[in-house]
C-alpha cells in the first residue's frame, strides 16, 4: 500500500471521514480479516449475514489500525462509503496510477490461473520486487485487495482474474490496467455461467481487449479459442505452446517417473533445457506461459529456464505430491475440479502410477450446468481408459462410475461413497499405491487431509 490520508481515501471513494482529522494517515496494509490487521493499516468492514465487520472496529483499533472503512460510522476513525467493493476498486486504481515503475500482469483462463500466477511471481522476482500472493484472489474482492499490496518499491504486480460472466474481466482490467495479459486456456470450467466454451472465450478475451498498444498479449498457441484472441487486441501477441507457430515453445517434452516434465525451451532463436520440479504434463503449458511473461519483462532465456527448474506451487491443494512413510504416494489436487483439470490430474496419476496400483477419489465437479452429467461421465470414462485400479466417486459424483462402466476393457473397481467419511473408510491403501484426491472445493478436502501424515494438515 502507498501512504494515504483518510481525507484522500474519502475523496477517492466518494466517502466521508468520520471520527478523525482528514490528515490522519494510513501507512499499513488494507485488510478485511480483522485478525490480519497490523499497525497503521486500514480495516475494511463488511456486513455479512452472520457477522458484521463493523463490530470489530474496537479490536482492530487496539491492534494498531489507522481506521475502518465501512458503510456506517463504527465509532472509531474511518471512512464511511456507500459500497466497500466499489471503494476498494477505486482505491486500487489510484494506487496503480501513482506507481509509475509498476508493470501489471493479468492472467485468466479456465484452469491453472493460481498455479501459473505462482510461477510468474517466482520468475519475475528475479527481476525485481514482485507482488503475487499465494491463493486464488481473483474476484472483485481478492483482485483489488492484491493490488493494494503494491507499494512504491513494487516493480511487478501479478493479478489472477476470474470471470463469472461477461464484463467481469473488463471491470477488473479497469481497476488495474494490465500491460501484459495472459490467457491460459478455455476449458469446461464455469460452463453453467457461460453456457458454452465459446461464451467463456468471449468473456476471457476481454483481458486482451484491455491491453494497450505497447502491451503484450500472451496467448496459448495450442488452444484454438485462445489463439483466436489475437484478433481482439492492439497489443503485441506472443504465442506459447508446443505448436510450431508458438513464439515461446517447448520441444522434446519428456515425463519422468514422478510425472515431472522436462523440455527444451525455444524462444527468440535461443534454446535452453528446462527440468521441472512440479508434477503433471499440463505444467508444460503453464510454465511456458510464465516463461513468455518473464521474457517479455526482460529476463534472458537461460535465466528463465534456470528459474523454471525451481518454481513450485505456493498455493495449497494443487498438484501437491508427497510420499508417506508407509510407501503410499499421494497427489492432493483437491482444491477444485472441472473436467479439464480432472483430466490433467488423472493423466498425472497414470504417469506416477506406472507399475503401481492407482486409486482415484473423485468428488463432484460444480458449475457444469447442462454438462453436469456428461462432464462426470467423461471423467469416469477417462479414468477407466487410463486403467485406474480403484475409482471412488464421492456423494453426487456417482455419474463418474456410470462413465467408467462404459469402458468394456476396464478391469478396475468402481465404488460409490455416500460422503467423505465413507470414502476414507473405502480407501484400503497398501504400500506402493498412488492415490489421487480431487473434487470441487471442499468436497474432497477431508479425504485429502486424512491422507497427510499426522500434523501436516493444511
Ligand atoms: N493447464 C492446466 N490444464 C488443466 N488443469 C490444470 C492446468 N493447470 C492447473 N490445473 C489444475 O486445475 C486445478 C485448479 O488449479 P488452479 O487453482 O491453479 O486454477 P485456477 O484457474 O486458479 O482455478 P479457480 O478457477 O478455482 O481459481 C488444479 O487441480 C490444477 O492441478
Ligand atoms: Mg484460482
Amino acid at each position: 500500500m502507498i501512504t494515504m490520508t483518510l481525507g484522500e481515501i474519502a475523496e477517492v471513494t466518494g466517502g466521508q471521514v468520520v471520527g478523525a482529522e482528514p490528515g490522519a494517515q494510513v501507512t499499513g496494509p488494507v485488510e478485511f480479516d480483522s485478525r490480519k490487521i497490523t499497525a497503521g493499516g486500514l480495516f475494511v468492514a463488511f456486513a455479512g449475514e452472520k457477522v458484521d465487520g463493523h463490530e470489530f472496529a474496537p479490536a482492530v483499533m487496539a491492534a494498531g489500525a489507522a481506521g475502518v472503512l465501512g458503510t456506517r460510522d463504527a465509532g472509531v476513525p474511518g471512512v464511511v462509503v456507500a459500497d466497500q467493493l466499489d471503494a476498494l476498486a477505486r482505491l486500487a486504481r489510484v494506487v496503480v496510477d501513482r506507481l509509475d515503475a509498476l508493470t501489471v500482469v493479468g492472467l485468466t483462463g479456465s484452469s491453472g490461473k493460481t498455479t501459473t500466477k505462482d510461477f510468474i511471481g517466482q520468475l519475475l522476482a528475479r527481476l525485481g520486487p514482485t507482488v503475487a500472493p499465494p491463493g486464488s484472489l481473483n474476484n472483485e474482492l481478492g483482485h483489488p485487495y492484491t493490488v493494494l499490496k503494491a507499494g512504491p518499491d513494487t516493480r511487478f504486480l501479478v493479478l489472477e482474474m476470474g470471470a463469472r460472466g461477461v464484463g467481469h474481466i473488463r471491470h477488473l482490467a479497469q481497476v488495474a490496467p494490465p500491460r501484459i495479459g495472459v490467457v491460459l486456456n478455455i476449458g469446461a470450467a464455469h460452463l453453467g455461467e457461460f453456457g458454452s466454451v465459446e461464451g467463456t472465450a468471449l468473456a476471457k478475451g476481454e483481458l486482451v481487449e484491455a491491453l494497450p498498444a505497447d502491451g503484450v498479449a500472451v496467448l496459448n498457441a495450442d488452444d484454438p479459442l485462445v489463439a483466436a484472441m489475437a484478433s481482439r487486441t492492439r497489443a503485441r501477441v506472443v504465442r506459447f505452446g508446443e505448436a510450431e507457430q508458438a513464439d515461446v515453445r517447448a520441444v522434446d517434452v519428456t515425463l519422468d517417473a514422478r510425472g515431472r516434465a522436462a523440455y527444451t525451451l525455444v524462444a527468440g532463436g535461443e534454446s535452453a533445457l528446462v527440468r521441472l520440479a512440479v508434477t503433471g504434463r499440463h505444467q508444460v503449458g503453464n510454465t511456458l506461459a510464465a516463461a513468455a511473461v518473464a521474457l517479455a519483462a526482460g529476463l534472458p532465456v537461460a535465466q528463465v529456464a534456470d528459474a523454471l527448474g525451481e518454481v513450485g506451487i505456493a498455493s495449497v491443494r494443487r498438484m501437491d505430491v508427497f510420499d508417506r512413510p508407509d510407501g503410499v504416494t499421494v497427489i492432493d489436487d483437491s482444491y477444485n475440479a472441472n473436467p479439464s483439470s480432472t483430466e490433467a490430474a488423472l493423466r498425472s496419476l497414470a504417469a506416477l502410477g506406472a507399475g503401481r496400483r492407482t486409486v482415484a477419489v473423485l468428488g463432484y465437479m460444480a458449475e457444469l450446468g447442462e454438462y453436469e452429467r456428461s462432464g462426470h461421465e467423461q471423467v469416469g470414462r477417462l479414468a477407466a481408459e487410463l486403467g485406474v485400479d480403484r475409482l471412488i466417486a464421492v456423494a453426487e459424483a456417482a455419474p463418474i462410475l456410470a462413465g467408467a462402466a462404459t469402458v468394456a476393457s476396464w478391469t478396475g473397481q468402481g465404488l460409490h461413497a455416500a460422503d467423505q467419511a465413507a470414502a476414507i473408510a473405502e480407501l484400503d491403501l497398501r504400500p506402493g499405491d498412488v492415490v489421487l484426491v480431487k473434487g470441487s472445493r471442499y468436497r474432497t478436502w477431508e479425504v485429502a487431509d486424512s491422507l497427510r501424515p499426522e500434523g501436516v494438515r493444511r
Side-chain angles (χ1 to χ4, degrees), residues 185-196:
N185 46 49
I186 302 294
H190 315 306
L191 274 183
E193 302 282 334
F194 294 111
S196 67

Side-chain angles (χ1 to χ4, degrees), residues 110-115 136 138 160 185 190 282 286 318-319 333 335-336 340-341 344 438 441:
S110 296
S111 304
K113 295 182 291 296
T114 298
T115 302
S136 191
N138 68 17
E160 174 172 342
N185 46 49
H190 315 306
H282 61 287
N286 293 345
R318 292 162 180 91
M319 273 295 145
D333 198 36
Y335 179 70
N336 205 354
S340 308
S341 70
K438 187 158 182 73
R441 296 290 148 94

Side-chain angles (χ1 to χ4, degrees), residues 333-354:
D333 198 36
S334 62
Y335 179 70
N336 205 354
N338 61 49
S340 308
S341 70
T342 306
E343 173 179 345
L346 285 167
R347 292 195 187 282
S348 300
L349 173 67
L352 257 94

Side-chain angles (χ1 to χ4, degrees), residues 5 23 61 68-69 89 103 183 244 257 277 282 332 355 372 376 387 402 405 427 432 440 445:
T5 64
M61 295 311 290
V68 172
L69 184 146
T103 296
V183 185
E244 226 167 288
H282 61 287
D332 177 1
E372 177 172 328
H376 286 87
L427 275 171
S440 272
W445 290 359

